[in-house]
Amino acid sequence: MAALIALPLIGQGRINIPDLPGLVTLKADFHMHTVFSDGTVWPTVRIDEAVREGLDVISITDHLEFRPYVQSIETLSGIPLSGLSHNIAYEIAKPYANERGIILIRGSEITRAMPPGHFNAIFLTDCDALANKDDYMDAMRAARAQNAFIFWNHPSWTSQQPDTTLWFPEHTMLLQQGFLHGIEVANGSMYCPESHRWCLEKNLTMIGTSDAHAPVAPFAAGRHRTMTLVFARSRTEEAIHEALRERRTAVLFENHIIGDERNLKALFESAVEISVTKTNETTAQITLRNKSDLTFHLRRAGHDPRLTYFRNNTIVPYTIRPQSVQAITVRLNEGIRGGDVNFIVENFLVEPEKGMRYTVRIE
Amino acid sequence: MAALIALPLIGQGRINIPDLPGLVTLKADFHMHTVFSDGTVWPTVRIDEAVREGLDVISITDHLEFRPYVQSIETLSGIPLSGLSHNIAYEIAKPYANERGIILIRGSEITRAMPPGHFNAIFLTDCDALANKDDYMDAMRAARAQNAFIFWNHPSWTSQQPDTTLWFPEHTMLLQQGFLHGIEVANGSMYCPESHRWCLEKNLTMIGTSDAHAPVAPFAAGRHRTMTLVFARSRTEEAIHEALRERRTAVLFENHIIGDERNLKALFESAVEISVTKTNETTAQITLRNKSDLTFHLRRAGHDPRLTYFRNNTIVPYTIRPQSVQAITVRLNEGIRGGDVNFIVENFLVEPEKGMRYTVRIE
Amino acid sequence: MAALIALPLIGQGRINIPDLPGLVTLKADFHMHTVFSDGTVWPTVRIDEAVREGLDVISITDHLEFRPYVQSIETLSGIPLSGLSHNIAYEIAKPYANERGIILIRGSEITRAMPPGHFNAIFLTDCDALANKDDYMDAMRAARAQNAFIFWNHPSWTSQQPDTTLWFPEHTMLLQQGFLHGIEVANGSMYCPESHRWCLEKNLTMIGTSDAHAPVAPFAAGRHRTMTLVFARSRTEEAIHEALRERRTAVLFENHIIGDERNLKALFESAVEISVTKTNETTAQITLRNKSDLTFHLRRAGHDPRLTYFRNNTIVPYTIRPQSVQAITVRLNEGIRGGDVNFIVENFLVEPEKGMRYTVRIE
Amino acid sequence: MAALIALPLIGQGRINIPDLPGLVTLKADFHMHTVFSDGTVWPTVRIDEAVREGLDVISITDHLEFRPYVQSIETLSGIPLSGLSHNIAYEIAKPYANERGIILIRGSEITRAMPPGHFNAIFLTDCDALANKDDYMDAMRAARAQNAFIFWNHPSWTSQQPDTTLWFPEHTMLLQQGFLHGIEVANGSMYCPESHRWCLEKNLTMIGTSDAHAPVAPFAAGRHRTMTLVFARSRTEEAIHEALRERRTAVLFENHIIGDERNLKALFESAVEISVTKTNETTAQITLRNKSDLTFHLRRAGHDPRLTYFRNNTIVPYTIRPQSVQAITVRLNEGIRGGDVNFIVENFLVEPEKGMRYTVRIE
């Protein structure tokens, strides 16, 4: 009943990621568990962790069909608990979240064998309406009746897809009938390139989540949990829902940003201020001012050979560090006056294994 | 239902503290909470944390009289839970602890206003026998009937003793009637010098605990939770109980060891191998080989002025670092052949504000 | 002829220490060596290190009488080098310092056996005028003829004062004749309480220096070299000289500030913004806003017992962390309306082993 | 003349890399500078740095043609120093190295415009014999007359090859006439894939160096300078020379090992103990016991599709951490009894951009 353990950490805290023009960039994690399914923490802990990491919005998404800890209390005590509402984690955490400025979104995980696997339904109004359904489509329909945003969780989870990551006919059906709005492109320490590809092809929203079950320990400097960046019109639940529907997201995973070209280009241009100056007849200088806590790894892309600039190094990429200014010297050979300086931002993935191409024009 | 968050920590892990002759040194934490009182974690988390920090033995000591989270479930669900057994955290965690080699001791916190305040009863066989007692002495008697080891928690907790740390007549009565066997000398980030003094005067066992309510985050290199070192005949529950009864403990708190002279001297001599060599007629060298992960801060104490050795620095003490060898050069002036090299180990507290005195004899 | 070694450090950089009213706080190190005496680096390295640590002013003070590396070149090459000017390190480093905004002050170390020991003379115009003097007083006179500021180095250096730190008649003579203006209170990892006492008694300036011989490695977060804080009217060499003459300095040594009460009180009040509010009839709140990177360790001092506030802990002091806001709750008992809240800032040493006393009045 | 600055570093120290069968693995850095060319430290500093990092062997390779600091002393003092021997750094450092167990090899850097660029000649007996040659071939001949090992430094240095990394006719000539024995594949923070390719094609020795000019700061945990691993018959200068002639080297650069397949395979097999057990009819387990401080990044390579094992992740590779044991579960589908488990060790580069292929056979 006394003191907390002091936490001797280095550099932990919020990561600075810029807003896009007319939009705010919100840090979101839409997948995590508590003691009311198979997570090991009380719901308020998820709010404390979000505050510590500087998240804006989370959803607690306990399994509807798998509540081993509630079951364990029931078994040991003989007190019947199967009727315990699936809204309880939300109800416990909501006032605590409000006091701390965290947007908490009501959600549940619909948990089935593959196909179709696991799905999170968020922006629910009543989780219980989805529970106790033999047919997963009944749970889906109950979610959609509440106007839920539904995404497929960890398609490449080896417990369900040990060897390959397949898209099943069930997923086609869910998509066609409007029950599928997004896919987890990254879940915890897993990146799923198939999810990335499917989102691009099928116009689905890219989601990144922690899927935390244990307590989330503080991160060392420069590290962060896997999360979704939501580019919303405002910091409200409604605006977040709208942004997810409009696919204005990107995924932060390790030191990578994963998404589509439209969102990644906007994020890059908001994070890095670029200016070009001619230092003399044969030299120009491109100044990159990185106003964010993101790191950018550049690689020179195909270009007019009369322009020369930084050399590619296959092991150590050309790096723009957080909150730094860096100058690229470009030489204009053979009398040319300008040209396109092309490079790839290798850790901004616009497709699986494909970094974002960017051009700075020298005139 | 998927991956844990990777934990990017520096130097975290077990702290090496030597065994005493004929005894093993066990790392113990006898005070912590779970969702079954006012802690925020499922009981198994306390085992995981113990494994990570290299503890040997813990006790989960949920409050008998204060179960806000159980209450919260009851209130929100309408399911009556007041009858939930106080043994439940132990029953959930015990098999998990056994699999991982952690000794889990059944305990409860008897939680009253001051006087007499809060007490932990450990080595219980049935926590429920202590519950629902209007008179705290009925709880005490139920604990003693189970041969519990009982200690007073955080006497200097400002919520109960805001200005002074008093010993009340109730404590005299408990002591005289055999209901009080130890006191917390340190609880979380609080050290209580009064507790230290009382243990010495009244022959009580010194206890150090985390009193963890939130998840215990991994520690940075060289840091640790407040804990009790138990010098036991073997690594068994019975031997731990016997060691506590025999006051064979010391408290690890920040970089200090707190205890009585007998235990601290034995620990120092087990940790540091000392040898003396005469390098010539007027010089001797004392070699200190620190085989432990403890740090020792030395200060020169009163001595024959014809011996000269390291100079005291009131800001930066003379330091023996973990796992290191250090040599102290001693000069023998005015023709003497030897003498007593006296020093204080400042961070080995044998009384409040009094470090342990130690002598190395040069012959 | 190619790339520097990348430096993978955590948190290294400038320490923020506030200006005093009407004065700027400059970070100074007036004692260090290069290859032109017994240091192991080229003079420009001292400038690079100063830039990295955020120093404002340094003095390279190579020994006039001890140039082992120059000697070594002479011996190995046969080229006579004894005539090499003692101004050379300054001349090499000065343009480099100017380009980087570091104030470099010309200085030399007068290097004799004890008594009187070693002295630094700074603000010289020609180091050579002090060299090749058999009588140290001739060197002193040459320094004073250049209006040098002269301070005694490391009086407690065990190579010269192995057992005790004595003030010799020679020092009395130097002081009386105006050849002694300051003393090193801290040198590298040595704090000398005798120096501290002498400066107070004899109105001498307190100096802290690194006395670096080897390269100064980057510091980990929150660490720094031993340095002098100079409270100067402006960031110029003249103003620094004037501040030293007027004893407007303090010494930063480990986590301590060492000085006299006048300077330390001004520094504390510039670093910490204090406000008092009455929260109700029986409670006041003192808010301490630490705008600096300094840490303050407080201990409650003697006070009216009807006021109660934070409790002293003999192991872990009450701590105001860098760049933080902390509130002290004060209770007003027995109907009093206010009173003096007295505390000691333990790591602000106004005398050896004596922290600075401070009072916040509640009205 | 007093204390060194204490160095508060985390985890710094020696990196553990295993010996190969019948050979010792020596850590070497054959390229660095001192004040006797354009480095900023006294020669003994290079020995202290080598001790701290656990190197076995270094060569100080000051430029023969570029001694700006010696020149600076000459200019400022008027003392003629152009005749200063090029052996002086070696002569100063050699006794100091011997006392500390570092093998110091006499060397020089032959410093010319491109082509042919810069070359280090090591295992010299007299550096002066190479100096003051107008024609670089005269310097080369003087080096070979001393049986020097000669390698080309930083071919991709942008000051000499700004746009491309070319092999000039001069290099063909040097190679054919026996003046070229190795190439720097990595220099400081530069990796040169062209050098890597040329070494493979032309049977040249791969070299990695720091090319340190400034003081080498201590490294954070897990980091190290760019170095050459030399697989020698013994820890002697002669055996090192023989190993270089026989191309028994690899380059440690960031977290990569760069070399040829023969050396890298031997290193991998010495570092990682591999065992295979059949857990049942359809499952085998490959246990990898990494006894080194190296990290290995694995990627699954083409294989019989009836075998399934870890899944490739294009962002986060499958990682074997230092000093750890890891198990790979392999499933044997469709009734097969065994097969070849193929993977690429991505950070063991046997060619530019090509990791080392390795097969574990299950029978």
Side-chain angles (χ1 to χ4, degrees):
Chain A
M1 206 147 188
L4 296 180
I5 296 286
L7 196 65
L9 267 195
I10 300 161
Q12 168 252 329
R14 154 182 284 278
I15 178 173
N16 191 301
I17 301 180
D19 293 333
L20 306 195
L23 301 171
V24 291
T25 298
L26 303 177
K27 301 185 192 82
D29 183 358
F30 299 120
H31 192 170
M32 61 189 67
H33 298 273
T34 74
V35 294
F36 292 105
S37 63
D38 59 344
T40 58
V41 301
W42 189 250
T44 55
V45 171
R46 297 301 180 208
I47 307 301
D48 291 335
E49 293 165 350
V51 168
R52 191 174 59 202
E53 280 187 64
L55 299 184
D56 296 284
V57 46
I58 67 168
S59 185
I60 294 173
T61 52
D62 282 315
H63 301 284
L64 293 163
E65 301 83 354
F66 184 60
R67 301 203 284 184
Y69 296 150
V70 169
Q71 179 66 42
S72 159
I73 298 174
E74 180 171 309
T75 305
L76 289 166
S77 69
I79 301 168
L81 285 165
S82 61
L84 192 66
S85 167
H86 295 275
N87 293 301
I88 191 164
Y90 178 82
E91 286 167 7
I92 288 168
K94 186 64 178 175
Y96 194 86
N98 287 347
E99 287 166 20
R100 283 154 186 81
I102 298 293
I103 300 173
L104 178 66
I105 290 171
R106 197 188 301 250
S108 283
E109 184 162 9
I110 302 166
T111 313
R112 306 297 159 110
M114 185 71 73
H118 296 195
F119 292 80
N120 274 1
I122 58 174
F123 303 102
L124 294 176
T125 51
D126 176 16
C127 303
D128 288 332
L130 284 67
N132 303 317
K133 308 293 189 194
D134 287 342
D135 183 341
Y136 72 86
M137 281 308 294
D138 290 336
M140 289 285 181
R141 276 187 280 266
R144 199 173 60 179
Q146 299 179 34
N147 193 31
F149 180 90
I150 304 171
F151 59 91
W152 183 11
N153 297 338
H154 47 69
S156 60
W157 185 32
T158 50
S159 299
Q160 291 198 325
Q161 301 225 51
D163 307 330
T164 49
T165 304
L166 299 179
W167 175 277
F168 289 86
E170 285 81 353
H171 299 115
T172 300
M173 180 271 289
L174 285 167
L175 177 62
Q176 288 175 348
Q177 299 189 11
F179 292 104
L180 184 58
H181 312 118
I183 314 181
E184 282 186 351
V185 167
N187 170 297
S189 62
M190 279 190 294
Y191 161 62
C192 176
E194 292 87 350
S195 297
H196 193 180
R197 177 79 60 204
W198 294 331
C199 284
L200 292 168
E201 289 172 357
K202 301 170 201 293
N203 278 331
L204 291 165
T205 303
M206 298 189 209
I207 303 287
T209 70
S210 69
D211 200 357
H213 286 69
V216 177
F219 286 88
R223 301 289 307 260
H224 49 76
R225 71 167 82 184
T226 299
M227 64 178 79
T228 308
L229 303 179
V230 180
F231 309 114
R233 293 201 199 284
S234 65
R235 196 181 183 278
T236 62
E237 183 165 338
E238 295 66 36
I240 292 162
H241 198 159
E242 191 242 353
L244 291 182
R245 296 281 177 186
E246 296 296 323
R247 305 191 309 279
R248 292 201 306 271
T249 66
V251 171
L252 180 61
F253 173 75
E254 298 291 334
N255 294 312
H256 291 69
I257 299 281
I258 303 163
D260 64 20
E261 187 135 23
R262 173 189 60 142
N263 288 309
L264 266 53
K265 193 174 173 201
L267 180 58
F268 179 73
E269 294 186 337
S270 297
V272 182
E273 202 176 283
I274 299 177
S275 59
V276 179
T277 52
K278 281 266 188 68
T279 43
N280 58 48
E281 282 294 295
T282 61
T283 315
Q285 186 165 295
I286 302 172
T287 303
L288 300 150
R289 182 180 188 83
N290 180 5
K291 299 168 294 182
S292 76
D293 288 341
L294 298 170
T295 297
F296 302 93
H297 292 164
L298 308 190
R299 178 189 283 262
R300 201 174 56 184
H303 61 91
D304 180 337
R306 292 171 300 175
L307 286 173
T308 56
Y309 41 104
F310 65 83
R311 190 176 295 204
N312 285 337
N313 181 314
T314 51
I315 294 181
V316 182
Y318 187 86
T319 298
I320 313 292
R321 300 202 180 279
Q323 308 290 352
S324 71
V325 179
Q326 188 146 335
I328 299 174
T329 300
V330 182
R331 295 205 292 166
L332 307 165
N333 304 309
E334 302 177 32
I336 57 169
R337 303 289 301 271
D340 283 353
V341 171
N342 301 321
F343 54 86
I344 308 291
V345 186
E346 289 193 305
N347 61 329
F348 265 49
L349 291 178
V350 295
E351 290 180 27
E353 305 195 44
K354 181 177 170 193
M356 182 183 78
R357 201 170 193 280
Y358 200 81
T359 294
V360 178
R361 181 154 193 82
I362 298 175
E363 285 166 343
Chain B
M1 207 148 189
L4 295 180
I5 296 285
L7 195 64
L9 266 196
I10 301 161
Q12 170 253 330
R14 153 183 285 277
I15 177 171
N16 190 301
I17 301 180
D19 293 332
L20 307 195
L23 301 170
V24 291
T25 298
L26 302 177
K27 299 187 193 81
D29 184 358
F30 299 120
H31 191 169
M32 62 189 65
H33 298 273
T34 75
V35 294
F36 292 105
S37 63
D38 59 343
T40 57
V41 301
W42 189 250
T44 54
V45 170
R46 297 301 179 207
I47 307 303
D48 291 335
E49 293 165 349
V51 168
R52 190 175 59 202
E53 281 187 64
L55 299 184
D56 297 283
V57 47
I58 67 168
S59 185
I60 294 173
T61 53
D62 281 316
H63 301 284
L64 293 164
E65 302 83 353
F66 185 61
R67 301 202 283 183
Y69 296 150
V70 169
Q71 179 67 40
S72 158
I73 298 175
E74 181 172 309
T75 303
L76 289 167
S77 69
I79 300 168
L81 285 166
S82 61
L84 192 66
S85 168
H86 295 275
N87 292 302
I88 191 164
Y90 178 83
E91 286 167 8
I92 288 167
K94 187 64 178 172
Y96 195 84
N98 286 348
E99 286 166 20
R100 283 153 185 81
I102 298 292
I103 300 174
L104 178 66
I105 290 171
R106 196 188 302 250
S108 283
E109 183 162 10
I110 303 167
T111 313
R112 304 299 158 110
M114 184 70 73
H118 296 194
F119 292 80
N120 273 2
I122 58 175
F123 302 105
L124 294 175
T125 51
D126 177 16
C127 303
D128 289 332
L130 284 66
N132 304 316
K133 307 295 188 192
D134 287 342
D135 183 341
Y136 72 86
M137 283 307 296
D138 289 336
M140 288 286 180
R141 276 188 279 268
R144 201 174 58 179
Q146 298 179 34
N147 193 30
F149 180 90
I150 304 172
F151 59 94
W152 183 11
N153 297 337
H154 46 69
S156 60
W157 185 33
T158 50
S159 298
Q160 292 199 323
Q161 301 225 51
D163 308 329
T164 50
T165 305
L166 298 179
W167 175 276
F168 289 86
E170 285 80 353
H171 300 115
T172 301
M173 180 271 290
L174 286 167
L175 176 62
Q176 288 175 346
Q177 299 189 11
F179 291 104
L180 184 58
H181 312 117
I183 314 181
E184 282 185 350
V185 167
N187 170 296
S189 62
M190 279 191 294
Y191 161 61
C192 177
E194 293 86 350
S195 297
H196 192 181
R197 178 79 61 203
W198 294 332
C199 284
L200 292 168
E201 289 172 358
K202 300 169 202 291
N203 278 332
L204 290 166
T205 303
M206 296 188 212
I207 303 288
T209 70
S210 70
D211 200 358
H213 285 70
V216 177
F219 285 88
R223 300 290 308 260
H224 49 76
R225 71 166 83 184
T226 298
M227 64 177 80
T228 309
L229 304 179
V230 180
F231 309 114
R233 294 201 199 285
S234 65
R235 197 180 183 280
T236 63
E237 184 166 337
E238 295 67 34
I240 291 162
H241 197 160
E242 190 242 354
L244 290 182
R245 296 281 178 187
E246 297 296 322
R247 307 190 308 280
R248 291 200 307 271
T249 67
V251 171
L252 180 60
F253 172 74
E254 299 291 334
N255 295 312
H256 291 69
I257 299 282
I258 302 163
D260 64 19
E261 186 134 25
R262 174 189 60 142
N263 288 310
L264 266 52
K265 194 175 172 199
L267 181 57
F268 179 73
E269 293 185 337
S270 297
V272 182
E273 203 175 283
I274 298 177
S275 61
V276 179
T277 51
K278 281 265 190 67
T279 42
N280 59 47
E281 281 295 294
T282 61
T283 316
Q285 186 165 292
I286 302 174
T287 302
L288 300 150
R289 183 183 186 81
N290 179 6
K291 298 169 293 184
S292 76
D293 287 342
L294 299 170
T295 297
F296 302 93
H297 292 164
L298 309 190
R299 179 191 283 262
R300 201 174 56 183
H303 61 90
D304 181 336
R306 292 172 299 175
L307 286 172
T308 54
Y309 43 102
F310 65 82
R311 192 175 295 203
N312 285 337
N313 182 314
T314 50
I315 294 182
V316 183
Y318 188 87
T319 298
I320 314 292
R321 300 201 179 280
Q323 308 288 353
S324 72
V325 179
Q326 187 144 338
I328 299 174
T329 300
V330 183
R331 294 204 294 165
L332 307 166
N333 304 309
E334 302 178 32
I336 58 169
R337 305 289 300 273
D340 283 354
V341 172
N342 301 321
F343 54 84
I344 307 291
V345 185
E346 289 193 305
N347 61 329
F348 265 49
L349 290 178
V350 295
E351 290 179 27
E353 304 195 45
K354 183 177 169 194
M356 183 183 77
R357 201 171 195 279
Y358 200 82
T359 295
V360 178
R361 182 156 192 80
I362 298 175
E363 286 167 342
Chain C
M1 206 145 189
L4 294 180
I5 295 287
L7 194 65
L9 265 197
I10 300 161
Q12 169 253 330
R14 154 183 285 278
I15 178 172
N16 189 301
I17 301 180
D19 293 332
L20 307 195
L23 301 170
V24 291
T25 298
L26 302 177
K27 299 185 193 83
D29 184 359
F30 299 119
H31 191 169
M32 62 190 66
H33 298 274
T34 75
V35 294
F36 293 103
S37 63
D38 59 344
T40 57
V41 301
W42 189 250
T44 55
V45 171
R46 297 301 179 205
I47 307 302
D48 290 335
E49 293 164 350
V51 168
R52 191 174 59 201
E53 281 187 65
L55 299 184
D56 297 283
V57 47
I58 67 168
S59 185
I60 294 173
T61 52
D62 280 316
H63 302 283
L64 293 164
E65 302 83 352
F66 185 62
R67 301 203 282 182
Y69 297 149
V70 170
Q71 179 66 42
S72 158
I73 297 173
E74 180 171 309
T75 304
L76 288 166
S77 69
I79 301 169
L81 285 165
S82 61
L84 192 65
S85 168
H86 295 274
N87 293 301
I88 192 164
Y90 177 84
E91 286 167 7
I92 288 168
K94 187 64 179 174
Y96 195 84
N98 287 348
E99 286 167 18
R100 285 155 185 79
I102 299 291
I103 300 174
L104 178 66
I105 290 171
R106 196 188 301 249
S108 283
E109 184 163 9
I110 303 167
T111 313
R112 304 298 159 108
M114 185 70 72
H118 297 194
F119 292 79
N120 273 2
I122 58 176
F123 303 103
L124 294 175
T125 52
D126 177 14
C127 304
D128 289 332
L130 286 65
N132 303 318
K133 307 294 187 193
D134 287 341
D135 184 340
Y136 72 86
M137 283 307 295
D138 289 337
M140 288 287 178
R141 277 186 279 268
R144 202 176 55 180
Q146 299 179 34
N147 193 30
F149 180 90
I150 305 172
F151 59 93
W152 183 11
N153 296 337
H154 46 67
S156 60
W157 185 32
T158 51
S159 299
Q160 291 199 326
Q161 300 226 51
D163 307 330
T164 50
T165 304
L166 298 179
W167 176 275
F168 289 87
E170 285 81 353
H171 300 114
T172 301
M173 179 270 290
L174 286 167
L175 176 62
Q176 287 174 348
Q177 299 189 10
F179 292 105
L180 184 58
H181 311 119
I183 314 181
E184 282 186 350
V185 167
N187 170 297
S189 62
M190 279 191 294
Y191 161 61
C192 177
E194 293 86 351
S195 298
H196 193 180
R197 177 80 59 202
W198 294 332
C199 284
L200 292 169
E201 288 172 357
K202 300 171 201 292
N203 278 331
L204 291 166
T205 303
M206 297 189 210
I207 304 287
T209 69
S210 70
D211 200 359
H213 287 70
V216 177
F219 285 88
R223 300 289 309 260
H224 49 77
R225 71 166 83 183
T226 298
M227 64 178 79
T228 308
L229 303 179
V230 180
F231 310 114
R233 293 201 200 283
S234 66
R235 195 179 183 281
T236 63
E237 184 166 337
E238 296 67 33
I240 292 162
H241 198 159
E242 191 240 354
L244 292 181
R245 296 281 177 186
E246 296 295 322
R247 305 189 310 281
R248 291 200 307 271
T249 67
V251 171
L252 181 60
F253 173 74
E254 298 291 333
N255 295 312
H256 291 68
I257 299 282
I258 302 164
D260 65 20
E261 186 133 25
R262 174 189 62 143
N263 288 310
L264 267 52
K265 193 174 174 200
L267 181 58
F268 179 73
E269 293 186 337
S270 297
V272 182
E273 200 176 286
I274 299 178
S275 60
V276 178
T277 52
K278 281 267 189 65
T279 43
N280 59 48
E281 281 295 295
T282 60
T283 315
Q285 187 165 291
I286 302 172
T287 302
L288 301 150
R289 183 182 187 81
N290 180 6
K291 298 169 294 183
S292 76
D293 287 343
L294 298 170
T295 297
F296 302 92
H297 291 164
L298 309 190
R299 179 190 283 262
R300 202 173 57 183
H303 60 90
D304 181 338
R306 291 171 301 175
L307 285 173
T308 55
Y309 43 103
F310 64 82
R311 193 175 294 203
N312 285 337
N313 181 313
T314 50
I315 294 181
V316 181
Y318 188 87
T319 299
I320 314 292
R321 300 201 179 281
Q323 307 289 354
S324 70
V325 179
Q326 188 145 338
I328 299 174
T329 299
V330 182
R331 293 203 294 164
L332 307 166
N333 304 311
E334 303 178 32
I336 57 169
R337 304 289 301 273
D340 283 355
V341 172
N342 300 321
F343 54 84
I344 308 291
V345 186
E346 290 193 305
N347 60 329
F348 265 49
L349 291 178
V350 295
E351 292 179 26
E353 304 196 44
K354 182 176 169 193
M356 182 184 75
R357 200 170 194 277
Y358 200 81
T359 295
V360 178
R361 181 155 193 81
I362 297 175
E363 285 167 342
Chain D
M1 205 145 189
L4 296 179
I5 296 285
L7 196 65
L9 266 195
I10 299 161
Q12 168 253 329
R14 156 182 282 280
I15 179 172
N16 190 302
I17 301 180
D19 292 333
L20 306 194
L23 301 170
V24 290
T25 298
L26 303 178
K27 301 185 192 81
D29 183 358
F30 300 120
H31 190 170
M32 62 190 68
H33 299 273
T34 74
V35 294
F36 292 104
S37 63
D38 59 344
T40 58
V41 301
W42 190 250
T44 55
V45 171
R46 296 300 179 209
I47 307 303
D48 291 334
E49 293 164 351
V51 168
R52 190 174 60 203
E53 281 188 64
L55 299 184
D56 296 283
V57 47
I58 67 169
S59 184
I60 294 173
T61 52
D62 281 316
H63 302 284
L64 294 163
E65 300 83 352
F66 185 60
R67 301 203 283 182
Y69 297 149
V70 169
Q71 179 67 40
S72 159
I73 298 174
E74 179 171 311
T75 304
L76 288 166
S77 69
I79 301 168
L81 285 165
S82 62
L84 192 66
S85 168
H86 295 275
N87 293 301
I88 191 165
Y90 178 82
E91 286 167 7
I92 288 168
K94 186 64 178 175
Y96 194 85
N98 286 348
E99 286 166 19
R100 285 156 184 79
I102 299 292
I103 300 173
L104 177 67
I105 290 171
R106 197 189 301 251
S108 284
E109 184 161 9
I110 303 166
T111 314
R112 305 297 160 110
M114 184 71 72
H118 297 194
F119 292 79
N120 274 1
I122 58 175
F123 304 102
L124 294 175
T125 52
D126 176 16
C127 304
D128 288 333
L130 285 67
N132 303 317
K133 308 293 189 195
D134 287 342
D135 184 340
Y136 72 86
M137 283 308 295
D138 289 336
M140 289 284 181
R141 277 186 278 267
R144 200 172 59 178
Q146 298 179 35
N147 194 30
F149 180 90
I150 303 172
F151 59 92
W152 182 12
N153 297 337
H154 46 69
S156 60
W157 185 34
T158 51
S159 298
Q160 291 198 326
Q161 300 225 52
D163 308 329
T164 49
T165 305
L166 298 180
W167 175 275
F168 289 86
E170 286 80 353
H171 300 114
T172 301
M173 178 272 289
L174 286 167
L175 177 62
Q176 288 174 347
Q177 300 188 11
F179 292 103
L180 183 58
H181 312 118
I183 313 180
E184 282 186 349
V185 167
N187 170 297
S189 62
M190 279 191 296
Y191 162 61
C192 176
E194 292 86 351
S195 297
H196 193 180
R197 177 80 59 205
W198 294 332
C199 284
L200 292 168
E201 290 171 357
K202 302 172 200 293
N203 278 332
L204 291 165
T205 304
M206 298 188 210
I207 303 287
T209 70
S210 70
D211 199 358
H213 287 69
V216 177
F219 285 89
R223 300 290 306 262
H224 50 77
R225 71 166 84 182
T226 299
M227 64 178 80
T228 309
L229 304 179
V230 180
F231 309 114
R233 293 201 200 283
S234 66
R235 195 180 183 281
T236 62
E237 184 165 338
E238 296 67 34
I240 293 161
H241 198 159
E242 191 243 354
L244 291 182
R245 296 280 179 188
E246 296 297 322
R247 306 190 309 281
R248 290 200 308 271
T249 66
V251 171
L252 180 60
F253 173 75
E254 298 290 334
N255 295 312
H256 291 68
I257 299 283
I258 303 163
D260 64 20
E261 186 134 23
R262 173 189 62 143
N263 288 310
L264 267 52
K265 193 174 175 200
L267 181 58
F268 179 74
E269 293 186 337
S270 297
V272 182
E273 201 177 285
I274 298 177
S275 60
V276 179
T277 51
K278 280 268 190 65
T279 43
N280 59 48
E281 282 294 294
T282 60
T283 316
Q285 186 165 291
I286 302 172
T287 303
L288 301 150
R289 181 181 189 83
N290 180 4
K291 299 169 292 183
S292 76
D293 288 342
L294 299 170
T295 297
F296 301 92
H297 292 164
L298 309 189
R299 178 190 284 262
R300 201 173 58 183
H303 61 90
D304 180 336
R306 291 172 301 176
L307 285 173
T308 55
Y309 43 103
F310 65 83
R311 191 176 294 203
N312 286 337
N313 182 314
T314 49
I315 294 182
V316 182
Y318 188 86
T319 299
I320 314 292
R321 300 202 178 281
Q323 308 290 351
S324 72
V325 179
Q326 188 146 336
I328 299 174
T329 299
V330 183
R331 294 205 293 165
L332 308 166
N333 304 308
E334 302 178 32
I336 57 169
R337 303 289 301 272
D340 283 354
V341 172
N342 301 321
F343 53 86
I344 307 291
V345 185
E346 290 193 305
N347 60 330
F348 265 49
L349 291 178
V350 295
E351 292 179 24
E353 305 196 43
K354 182 177 170 193
M356 182 184 77
R357 202 171 192 278
Y358 201 81
T359 295
V360 178
R361 181 154 193 83
I362 298 174
E363 283 166 344

